[in-house]
Amino acid sequence: MDNLTTDFLSFFVPYMGFILLSLLVLSLALSEHHILAARYYYARKWERVVSETIREKDEAKREVELLRNTKTAEIERMTKKVATLEGELSALRANLSKHNEL
């Protein structure tokens, strides 16, 4: 090899080695950062999904409790109404039997 080729190779090979090593270190650092950022993002997303699910479950429980209370009150009201109507029916039957005896 001539002197120019030897000088070029003695400069180029270490230079490219340095560049490749620097890129490797930089890519490892950026990969680590990207992995940590993705883990943080998905951890926050998971927390958000879990909190929304818990909130929806609690809201559904409240709606069921309200519906149950409403239906219970409606049943009690209807029971009282039936008792009142049964009393009125008994009174009418008693009154009718009195009028039939006459």
Side-chain angles (χ1 to χ4, degrees), residues 15-59:
Y15 178 75
M16 286 308 293
F18 174 75
I19 295 295
L20 290 175
L21 185 62
S22 299
L23 289 175
L24 178 66
V25 169
L26 183 63
S27 68
L28 289 175
L30 289 175
S31 296
E32 180 183 5
H33 172 72
H34 178 70
I35 289 169
L36 291 176
R39 286 175 64 190
Y40 177 80
Y41 170 77
Y42 285 110
R44 296 299 158 258
K45 186 174 182 178
W46 176 255
E47 288 175 4
R48 202 169 40 248
V49 167
V50 167
S51 67
E52 287 176 10
T53 303
I54 290 171
R55 189 181 69 238
E56 288 173 1
K57 184 180 89 173
D58 291 343
E59 185 176 313

Side-chain angles (χ1 to χ4, degrees), residues 59-102:
E59 185 176 313
K61 281 182 180 179
R62 280 192 302 271
E63 288 177 8
V64 165
E65 184 69 26
L66 178 64
L67 183 61
R68 185 167 45 102
N69 290 341
T70 303
K71 292 297 180 183
T72 302
E74 186 176 340
I75 289 170
E76 290 174 358
R77 184 181 61 80
M78 296 297 271
T79 303
K80 289 177 184 176
K81 189 172 185 178
V82 166
T84 304
L85 289 174
E86 285 176 346
E88 289 178 9
L89 181 61
S90 296
L92 286 174
R93 283 184 180 161
N95 195 11
L96 183 63
S97 66
K98 286 181 185 177
H99 284 307
N100 284 340
E101 290 177 1
L102 294 174

